[in-house]
Amino acid sequence: MTTLSQAGPATSVRTAEPAASLRRVTVSYGATTALHDCSLDIAAGETVALLGPSGSGKSTALKALAGFETPTSGTVHLGGRDVTTASPAQRGIGIVVQSYALFPHMSVRKNVGFGLRARRIASAETRRRVDETLRMVGMFDYADRMPDELSGGQQQRVAIARALAIRPNVLLLDEPLSALDASLRQSMVHELQQLKDKLPGLAVVYVTHDQNEALALADRIAVMRNARIESLGRTEEMFNHPPTEFSATFLGGADVLPARILEDAAAGAPLRADYLGHVLEAVAREDSAAGQTVGLAVRPWSWTVVDGGSSSNPALRVEVTGVQWRGSSHRVQAVSPETGQTLHLERTAGQPVPQVGDSLRVTVEPSEILVVPVEKSDVS
């Protein structure tokens, strides 16, 4: 396995200072705030994904780190050094964007060596580093080709090699796979996973709206919304125990049922809650008090269609309003005539697929319900 040698703090998986930090950074354009009071530390050897919908502020946060946006307030630090006013070139950060941005008139080798030549690295050392980096991303045999002779996935690998050739301590990836088709994205996610193993001291900030990429690559996920970091945590914890209603809907596509707790419940104990006249049981995430409003988040694959008989929770009646085939499964959209809420069910291979207009009864086991705070107390 090829390992790219690095200089400076990145040779250690952990350093005393974060590899990169945003400290209460706000970026505004007149009356429009693109990023509000954002604080985030990224350690050496850590991958943090900024995940959120378009306009959530994730790319602005990355541009502030890179030096392409000047904060209206707050500071940016790299390895403990204040670089708020430093230019992108002075920061020494590797950057990969979704458009690849390769120079069309330069060969692969010249593209990858561009940053080294700009830094006046000796020719022999430049060639050594270029060869080393191209081998790392599996593009050494394509060194003399031009960008238009490469596939989209190959161009993206060259863009990553160019970013790594300067031996950055921090690598910024801004929607790097969004221009690729589904099969290439899956292949590139695998290659980025391998890259993390080859460069254990590299800090990576990965901007994406794709939760699958974030789950596969990130050590921590920051879910962004309305120009802010709404929630931040270890990847597995964020998925299994989303801290907010929005995080539950964005990570796993959960439906959130507004409910009112019927009786006090200790953390880990059964929790009974009234969902618009239906008493549902979940597992309390923390000590909960009677009368408290919560959200019962249920992901599509957790719903079970029942024909009758008993179950841990009572069945809810829904009417199918849409069916979408997704290859390995069908996504079913249904509406509860009693509550008016839209629910989403997943039917995998071998399970009967309902048709639009069908009436179903669905239920969910208590262990499959995620209890989250609700944004609006709209439970009557």
Side-chain angles (χ1 to χ4, degrees), residues 162-179:
R162 183 174 61 185
L164 292 175
I166 63 172
R167 297 182 178 175
N169 289 338
V170 180
L171 176 65
L172 307 180
L173 302 172
D174 190 4
E175 301 274 11
L177 310 184
S178 62

Side-chain angles (χ1 to χ4, degrees), residues 21-29 35 60-61 63-65 67-77 82-86 91:
S21 298
L22 295 174
R23 299 181 184 175
R24 307 202 66 175
V25 169
T26 294
V27 177
S28 299
Y29 312 103
L35 186 67
T60 303
K63 290 175 182 177
L65 278 170
F68 297 134
E69 295 286 359
T70 300
T72 307
S73 62
T75 56
V76 181
H77 298 255
D82 189 333
V83 295
T84 308
T85 60
R91 300 188 186 200

